[in-house]
Amino acid sequence: MFFSLRKHASKLIAATLAIGTMASISAAALDQPVAMLSSNLNASVGTVLTSDQINTAEQALSQAKAETEAKAKAEAEAAAKAEAEAAQQAATSTTTSTQQSSNSNLLTAPVSAKTVAYSSSLLATDAIKSNSTALGNYKLTFYCPCELCNGVAGSKTASGTTPTEGRTIAVDSSVIPLGSRVYIEGYGVFIAEDTGGAIKDNKIDVFVSSHDRAYELGVQYANIYLLG
């Protein structure tokens, strides 16, 4: 009897150990795949997540990445736009400065003697148009220092200067004050230095060096700008 009980006890103990060993092996086998799937997400916290939690985390990570990329793209576009606007402002400033400088030269640079002749390079620029008074389209005639053209050969102008081709024009002083700088489109800058009995309203007489030159140029029409 004693031997039988001892034999049964031995079998029970062996069975218990076997079951314990199998349980340990099964638990390790079950834990390993989960740990492998969640190792990246759980390395720092040591917590095993379910597959749904892992998917949710991956989706959140993907969304955060997309938002970061979109933000970076928007910032890059904003920076590029700001740079383009700054470049445009700099170009506009340079253009404005150039125009102001050009207009200043028209008002202050000496008006030297030159041959009067039409040139397309002397058409009124935007700087001239925006910084002067447009007087409209005028009739241009031409005169020389001879007695036939000037009444008295070799006389001075109404303002007391010696008439010079390329500088002197005769105007109606009630419209264009003597001493004014006038831009004749296609001909350049002149100074209103003279007057004449036949020079009224929108008519200008342009001084040239000889009667032949005055006859050759005849009658022209041009837009007139009062510079100052």
Side-chain angles (χ1 to χ4, degrees), residues 46-195:
T47 302
V48 176
L49 301 178
T50 66
S51 60
D52 288 342
Q53 289 174 323
I54 292 172
N55 289 336
T56 300
E58 289 177 343
Q59 291 174 1
L61 180 62
S62 178
Q63 182 178 354
K65 181 179 179 182
E67 290 176 351
T68 300
E69 291 176 348
K71 182 179 179 181
K73 182 179 179 181
E75 290 176 348
E77 290 176 348
K81 182 179 179 181
E83 185 177 351
E85 289 177 349
Q88 179 63 36
Q89 289 176 354
T92 300
S93 177
T94 300
T95 300
T96 300
S97 177
T98 300
Q99 290 178 344
Q100 290 175 343
S101 177
S102 176
N103 187 62
S104 178
N105 287 337
L106 290 174
L107 291 173
T108 60
V111 181
S112 57
K114 60 182 179 293
T115 300
V116 172
Y118 176 85
S119 173
S120 58
S121 66
L122 294 174
L123 295 178
T125 63
D126 290 340
I128 292 172
K129 292 177 181 179
S130 61
N131 293 283
S132 63
T133 302
L135 299 181
N137 194 259
Y138 272 49
K139 180 180 181 179
L140 305 180
T141 54
F142 302 85
Y143 75 109
C144 73
C146 75
E147 184 176 355
L148 180 62
C149 287
N150 210 36
V152 177
S155 64
K156 297 286 188 179
T157 66
S159 58
T161 62
T162 300
T164 303
E165 180 172 355
R167 188 190 72 202
T168 303
I169 56 174
V171 300
D172 181 345
S173 60
S174 67
V175 178
I176 301 175
L178 288 176
S180 299
R181 291 194 176 213
V182 176
Y183 195 89
I184 302 177
E185 187 166 42
Y187 294 88
V189 181
F190 296 81
I191 297 179
E193 295 182 325
D194 208 357
T195 58

Side-chain angles (χ1 to χ4, degrees), residues 9-56:
S10 298
K11 290 182 177 180
L12 180 61
I13 291 170
T16 300
L17 291 172
I19 291 171
T21 301
M22 291 178 65
S24 297
I25 293 171
S26 297
L30 290 172
D31 288 344
Q32 187 175 358
V34 174
M36 289 176 65
L37 289 172
S38 61
S39 61
N40 291 335
L41 295 174
N42 302 313
S44 62
V45 295
T47 302
V48 176
L49 301 178
T50 66
S51 60
D52 288 342
Q53 289 174 323
I54 292 172
N55 289 336
T56 300

